[in-house]
Amino acid sequence: MPEGTQYWCDAASTGELPLPDRGMEFGDGLFETLLCVDGKLLFPERHQVRLEQGFHQLGFNGPAPDLEALVSPATEAIAQSTAAVLRLTLTRSAGLRGYAPGDGTAHRCVLRLTPLNHDPLSEPVPLSLGVAGIRLAHQPALAGIKHLNRLEQVLAAGEREDSGFDELLMLDMQGVPIATTAANIFIREGKTLSTPELAMCGIAGTRRALILEEWADTAGFRVQSCPLSLDSIREADEVFVCNSVIGVRSVTQFLDRVLNDHSAAAAIRQCYLAAVAS
Amino acid sequence: MPEGTQYWCDAASTGELPLPDRGMEFGDGLFETLLCVDGKLLFPERHQVRLEQGFHQLGFNGPAPDLEALVSPATEAIAQSTAAVLRLTLTRSAGLRGYAPGDGTAHRCVLRLTPLNHDPLSEPVPLSLGVAGIRLAHQPALAGIKHLNRLEQVLAAGEREDSGFDELLMLDMQGVPIATTAANIFIREGKTLSTPELAMCGIAGTRRALILEEWADTAGFRVQSCPLSLDSIREADEVFVCNSVIGVRSVTQFLDRVLNDHSAAAAIRQCYLAAVAS
């Protein structure tokens, strides 16, 4: 862990999780990764929306979680951070032995604040993109939300380390592109941006939502979420990826093809920086 | 938790898990559920085989885990137990921020010993079986092993609580029966036992393996692992389920059909009890 990483478990500042915990036992929970810049969490309302959706989709009971209240134990530490990543993990707390989630409304919130040793708003270096061998399973009951069952991404990230590429595209079982191991993907064809539909698998990123609903329009692009093919990525005018930590990052190489036009990514990045500054 | 539950994290007797832990963050790990009777763990060699298979399938590095060594902190407590369930969880320990599993050989073992307040070798009450709405996704990279990504089973177990059935059968995305929420399933047609193939999803249970490789033959049945249909279960002469905690349990009702013949389950149960006694 980078020096200075801090943890909270519910209200307490502690680096220990009480056992049992269904997050550890079954991946029974959700998480959010928030970027913290100059003492502020970026786009908390977007993370709130996804957290709430996951909460209902996993059948958690009780009132929807309030992200602001959940992160409150870390408020002071966040205020003192110039650049950090806050991971919020919400698990279905303890439980009886076995899978049954019970009727309880109990959940447990674990916070982890990790300082970054670079400026997260500086322009990220364009990346090279390969294709992962492991594919994403179709599971509509879990698609879109950021739950804790992430072995597919872990195995793909393991492949990445040996691949010679900076990142790997993940396809679904039908060979349809969905996302990279840790980011959503967009392609540009002329003045149209497209990003994969996520009805069957994948995580609906907060920056993806902002591009779809706000930034593409501001930057003068049409935008759509639709099924993409590998060929559409191979033949795109431009490819870029996005997530909460990197913001918007251009793809400079997809497999053996070099991509030199990064104009849409640059325009979207301006919208992103403007939204952060406002 | 039932009174008397004990925990160990690596060698230490503790109810707290040090953060970060990839088991809690991504479900990045494996588990085994062992039945403990009269101071002894049942069929540890079978759990060893599956743990090793999962270890390699998830790309854990280093020498294969030795179950006996992993459970050694609990040896004394096990020796004093007349009836208990030992859950062994092996996670990929801590890690950097992000999905990448790293090249480390580090893993962490969490043990949980839960006393049972009934005799686990007494004949279990036959159960009624419904069908879960949530289906199992096809993911050959994770099929068969007992990894920590168990949201599908959690959601199915949640359905079970409201279903009016004791257990629910889970189908894959093509509608093919795979297992119940917490057990493997067998049907009998004449003198042949059949259990679903698990190449695409499902957990290959230790008792399923023992039935396939030893007990069916001893009890005088042919046995096969093959694709089953819902109709084959509806029309079977007999249906039963098995796992490490319940042993072998008859199904007395599948949806609206009553099943009165439990002869194969009784014969297999005799093999199970004989193996436990030997």
Side-chain angles (χ1 to χ4, degrees):
Chain A
M1 285 298 101
E3 216 175 316
T5 297
Q6 292 171 270
Y7 297 90
W8 295 262
C9 185
D10 288 335
S13 169
T14 174
E16 305 214 300
L17 179 74
L19 296 173
D21 184 88
R22 294 179 59 90
M24 189 275 252
E25 293 194 337
F26 307 122
D28 190 7
L30 301 159
F31 72 114
E32 291 293 330
T33 305
L34 293 99
L35 187 62
C36 171
V37 177
D38 292 337
K40 278 176 57 185
L41 296 175
L42 302 192
F43 312 110
E45 69 287 356
R46 292 283 170 177
H47 292 279
Q48 169 74 39
V49 167
R50 186 173 55 190
L51 186 65
E52 239 179 277
Q53 191 189 337
F55 191 86
H56 296 304
Q57 215 161 313
L58 293 191
F60 277 61
N61 288 319
D66 177 41
L67 188 129
E68 202 180 333
L70 291 173
V71 305
S72 63
T75 302
E76 206 173 311
I78 292 166
Q80 289 164 8
S81 289
T82 51
V85 174
L86 180 74
R87 176 175 160 133
L88 181 164
T89 307
L90 194 72
T91 79
R92 209 179 322 242
S93 196
L96 297 175
R97 201 180 55 70
Y99 294 124
D103 61 356
T105 58
H107 41 81
R108 178 177 285 152
C109 179
V110 176
L111 302 175
R112 165 179 175 176
L113 188 66
T114 308
L116 293 175
N117 52 17
H118 68 276
D119 175 5
L121 300 183
S122 65
E123 191 174 339
V125 178
L127 57 78
S128 63
L129 188 65
V131 178
I134 185 168
R135 297 193 168 187
L136 292 164
H138 279 190
Q139 180 46 276
L142 299 174
I145 64 173
K146 204 167 169 95
H147 57 69
L148 297 178
N149 280 200
R150 290 297 160 208
L151 278 171
E152 292 174 328
Q153 281 80 8
V154 167
L155 293 180
E159 287 186 46
R160 183 185 61 204
E161 293 179 338
D162 303 322
S163 70
F165 291 101
D166 299 319
E167 245 294 29
L168 295 180
L169 178 68
M170 297 187 74
L171 314 177
D172 72 6
M173 290 289 165
Q174 271 75 57
V176 175
I178 300 296
T180 73
T181 70
N184 291 117
I185 189 166
F186 282 79
I187 64 170
R188 179 177 66 77
E189 293 159 307
K191 292 295 282 177
T192 301
L193 303 180
S194 303
T195 189
E197 271 188 347
L198 304 176
M200 298 303 279
C201 50
I203 303 171
T206 55
R207 275 46 169 180
R208 174 181 180 274
L210 284 160
I211 294 170
L212 282 170
E213 295 169 29
E214 300 179 17
W215 299 342
D217 187 56
T218 305
F221 295 97
R222 285 181 298 276
V223 68
Q224 58 183 355
S225 155
C226 61
L228 294 189
S229 66
L230 257 184
D231 280 347
S232 68
I233 299 182
R234 277 181 206 280
E235 294 157 15
D237 296 325
E238 184 179 348
V239 180
F240 62 90
V241 301
C242 62
N243 73 22
S244 63
V245 178
I246 57 170
V248 180
R249 189 170 177 186
S250 293
V251 172
T252 194
Q253 184 189 342
F254 177 56
L255 296 173
D256 57 358
R257 183 174 165 228
V258 173
L259 292 142
N260 286 319
D261 188 335
H262 306 318
S263 54
I268 298 289
R269 239 183 78 71
Q270 288 312 309
C271 299
Y272 166 58
L273 294 176
V276 171
S278 75
Chain B
M1 285 300 99
E3 216 174 317
T5 296
Q6 294 171 268
Y7 296 91
W8 294 263
C9 185
D10 289 334
S13 169
T14 173
E16 304 215 301
L17 178 74
L19 297 173
D21 184 89
R22 294 179 60 90
M24 188 275 253
E25 294 195 334
F26 306 122
D28 189 7
L30 301 160
F31 71 112
E32 290 293 329
T33 305
L34 293 99
L35 186 62
C36 170
V37 178
D38 292 335
K40 277 176 57 185
L41 295 175
L42 301 192
F43 312 109
E45 70 287 355
R46 292 283 169 177
H47 292 279
Q48 169 74 38
V49 166
R50 185 172 56 188
L51 186 64
E52 238 178 277
Q53 190 189 338
F55 191 85
H56 295 304
Q57 214 160 315
L58 293 190
F60 276 62
N61 288 319
D66 176 42
L67 190 128
E68 201 180 332
L70 291 174
V71 305
S72 65
T75 302
E76 207 173 312
I78 291 166
Q80 290 165 8
S81 289
T82 51
V85 174
L86 180 74
R87 176 175 160 133
L88 180 164
T89 307
L90 193 73
T91 78
R92 207 177 327 240
S93 194
L96 297 175
R97 199 180 56 69
Y99 294 123
D103 60 356
T105 58
H107 41 79
R108 177 178 285 151
C109 179
V110 177
L111 302 174
R112 167 181 174 173
L113 187 68
T114 309
L116 292 174
N117 52 17
H118 67 276
D119 174 6
L121 300 184
S122 66
E123 191 174 339
V125 180
L127 56 79
S128 62
L129 188 66
V131 178
I134 184 169
R135 296 192 168 189
L136 291 164
H138 279 190
Q139 180 48 276
L142 299 174
I145 63 173
K146 204 165 168 97
H147 58 70
L148 297 177
N149 279 199
R150 292 294 159 210
L151 277 171
E152 291 174 331
Q153 280 81 8
V154 167
L155 293 179
E159 286 185 47
R160 182 184 62 203
E161 293 180 338
D162 304 322
S163 70
F165 291 100
D166 299 320
E167 243 296 27
L168 295 180
L169 178 68
M170 297 187 73
L171 314 178
D172 73 6
M173 290 290 165
Q174 270 76 59
V176 175
I178 301 295
T180 74
T181 71
N184 290 117
I185 189 165
F186 282 79
I187 64 169
R188 180 177 65 79
E189 292 160 306
K191 291 295 282 178
T192 300
L193 304 180
S194 305
T195 189
E197 269 189 348
L198 305 176
M200 298 303 279
C201 51
I203 301 172
T206 55
R207 276 44 170 181
R208 174 182 180 274
L210 283 160
I211 295 171
L212 283 170
E213 295 168 28
E214 301 179 16
W215 299 341
D217 187 55
T218 305
F221 294 97
R222 283 182 301 274
V223 67
Q224 57 183 355
S225 155
C226 60
L228 295 188
S229 66
L230 257 184
D231 279 348
S232 68
I233 299 183
R234 277 182 206 280
E235 293 158 16
D237 296 324
E238 182 179 353
V239 181
F240 62 90
V241 302
C242 62
N243 74 21
S244 64
V245 178
I246 57 171
V248 180
R249 190 169 177 186
S250 293
V251 172
T252 194
Q253 184 190 342
F254 178 55
L255 296 172
D256 56 359
R257 182 172 165 230
V258 173
L259 292 141
N260 286 321
D261 188 336
H262 306 317
S263 53
I268 298 289
R269 240 183 77 73
Q270 288 312 310
C271 299
Y272 166 58
L273 294 176
V276 171
S278 74

